[in-house]
Each structure stands twice: as C-alpha cells, then as structure tokens.
Amino acid sequence: DTAVSQTPKYLVTQMGNDKSIKCEQNLGHDTMYWYKQDSKKFLKIMFSYNNKELIINETVPNRFSPKSPDKAHLNLHINSLELGDSAVYFCASSQDGTSEYYNEQFFGPGTRLTVL
Amino acid sequence: AQSVTQPDIHITVSEGASLELRCNYSYGATPYLFWYVQSPGQGLQLLLKYFSGDTLVQGIKGFEAEFKRSQSSFNLRKPSVHWSDAAEYFCAVGAYYGGATNKLIFGTGTLLAVQP
C-alpha cells in the first residue's frame, strides 16, 4: 500500500546507455513530478505532469524524456547517459498541481542512478 | 525570484542539547513552507508544514517550526536532540510557477551531526 513507489531503487550503468526509471502513485493524484538530487544533495524539480500532460520542463536536456501513460504513472527515460547524470531521482505526486493554491507533494523513496 | 536559504551547511550538537536550524525564504505571495529530513541513503520524510494559521507548527519526532513573516524565516527547532536525529534537513517553499503549476523549491540542506 505504498503511496508513491519507484523502481528500481538502485541503477548502475555505463556511460552512453539508455535507462528508464518508473514511478507509480496510488493516491489518485492528478499531478506528478520528477526531482533530481545531485551529488551535493541539492534538490531541484525537473518535470511536472498534470493528467498526462507536460506542464513544466525545468531546462532539462533533451536526453531526458518523461512519459506518462496514465495519471498514476510517470516514467523517466534517459538516453545516452553521462557521468553528470549520476544522482538520486525522486518522483512525487500531488492533487491538482495546476492550482494556485499549493497542494502538498508526496515523495517516492528515490532511485539512485550511478553512471560509470 | 523564489529562493530558500539555509545558512548553515553543517551543524554539530551534543545529544540532549537543543537545536535550531535556520531557513529564510524569498517568495512574493503567501508561502507554503516545509521541512524535510533525509537520513543517509534514504528518501525524504516530511517533518512539518506551514500553510496558514498558527505560526508555530508542530511536527513529527518532537520537531517544531515557527513562521515569521517579518523575517521571512521558518526555523526548525527541537528542545532535546537524539542521536537518531543525525541526518540532512531541507527547508522548502511551495511555489506557484509561471501561472501553470506548483513546484517545491528546496534549500541546500543542513547536515546535522549529533555527538554522544
């Protein structure tokens, strides 16, 4: 009965590979997000999706392509992985993230990506 | 621009001592404020949040925070620290971005070490 789940928890891969991280929420939320936590622990939003539609792309390279097959899932596909992509990626969800009244975001456990 | 500042990168306290972690924010509208804790290798756990109302908010694990609008601050406090409180602490503000979506803006974090 995990609210926001991510798979895998750890991902180790070589430079140049393509990989995906999956996220699922069972909270019935409309909006899902991806955040990146870099090696200095700095957390920053990457994407926001509302009802399967991309709302914001926070200057993320084109190698990152989020896909939302339905509003309960938001996957992150990364092409041509680079060393600098090593980070912890957090998925989150909230009720109507397009509202000007902020709705609390609930986070997944994170996926630690290591690019060798 | 919206921003969150945590002036203390690293704090060490003795077990049983009191704790205050500082957070200052910059946000034009009514802020939605959060404190998260991240234990080593773990995900983000919400400690407490401020949306409106009483400016002193209580959270889990004996933490509290006080919202001071005049100082643009939301400092986290605990009267007596336990060794298990050693972790990274993040302050965040919930922002309404570009008239389109919510996002969380995080501070750079404060690493708390607890001495026996």
Side-chain angles (χ1 to χ4, degrees):
Chain A
D1 58 344
T2 303
V4 183
S5 59
Q6 294 180 229
T7 53
K9 188 173 173 64
Y10 300 98
L11 185 54
V12 181
T13 188
Q14 300 287 332
M15 257 192 342
N17 284 351
D18 303 338
K19 290 293 178 186
S20 292
I21 305 171
K22 296 185 177 182
C23 178
E24 177 180 2
Q25 56 94 4
N26 62 6
L27 297 168
H29 288 164
D30 299 309
T31 308
M32 297 184 73
Y33 313 80
W34 278 110
Y35 287 82
K36 179 181 179 180
Q37 184 175 41
D38 64 22
S39 59
K40 296 183 179 179
K41 299 291 186 72
F42 185 60
L43 275 151
K44 187 177 179 183
I45 192 167
M46 301 172 67
F47 300 102
S48 165
Y49 263 75
N50 189 67
N51 281 322
K52 306 192 296 176
E53 290 188 21
L54 178 65
I55 303 299
I56 56 172
N57 174 339
E58 196 81 345
T59 60
V60 178
N62 291 338
R63 298 183 296 103
F64 290 79
S65 52
K67 286 185 171 55
S68 183
D70 55 63
K71 73 175 191 177
H73 296 84
L74 180 62
N75 304 323
L76 184 64
H77 189 75
I78 315 170
N79 291 326
S80 303
L81 279 155
E82 300 177 357
L83 293 176
D85 298 331
S86 294
V88 180
Y89 293 86
F90 287 99
C91 177
S93 73
S94 75
Q95 292 180 341
D96 190 7
T98 63
S99 168
E100 63 181 287
Y101 299 101
Y102 184 83
N103 286 305
E104 182 180 343
Q105 296 180 20
F106 294 81
F107 283 82
T111 295
R112 182 174 296 275
L113 171 65
T114 303
V115 182
L116 303 175
Chain B
Q2 308 116 349
S3 65
V4 177
T5 302
Q6 292 180 246
D8 305 307
I9 296 172
H10 190 184
I11 283 182
T12 300
V13 300
S14 298
E15 192 168 14
S18 63
L19 171 71
E20 182 168 29
L21 302 182
R22 296 182 291 165
C23 173
N24 292 95
Y25 68 90
S26 172
Y27 186 58
T30 302
Y32 298 88
L33 296 162
F34 305 83
W35 275 99
Y36 288 88
V37 61
Q38 185 178 31
S39 298
Q42 300 299 310
L44 295 166
Q45 183 179 23
L46 179 66
L47 282 176
L48 47 76
K49 61 187 177 188
Y50 171 78
F51 276 28
S52 65
D54 194 346
T55 56
L56 184 63
V57 293
Q58 303 296 321
I60 62 171
K61 304 185 178 187
F63 285 93
E64 67 177 26
E66 187 171 13
F67 168 58
K68 293 185 177 180
R69 186 185 296 274
S70 61
Q71 297 177 19
S72 297
S73 69
F74 189 55
N75 294 348
L76 182 71
R77 301 194 294 247
K78 186 168 184 177
S80 177
V81 170
H82 188 262
W83 64 266
S84 60
D85 293 326
E88 187 97 32
Y89 290 80
F90 293 95
C91 180
V93 63
Y96 186 54
Y97 174 82
T101 189
N102 298 161
K103 67 176 181 179
L104 272 172
I105 299 168
F106 286 88
T108 48
T110 298
L111 182 62
L112 174 66
V114 180
Q115 287 181 336

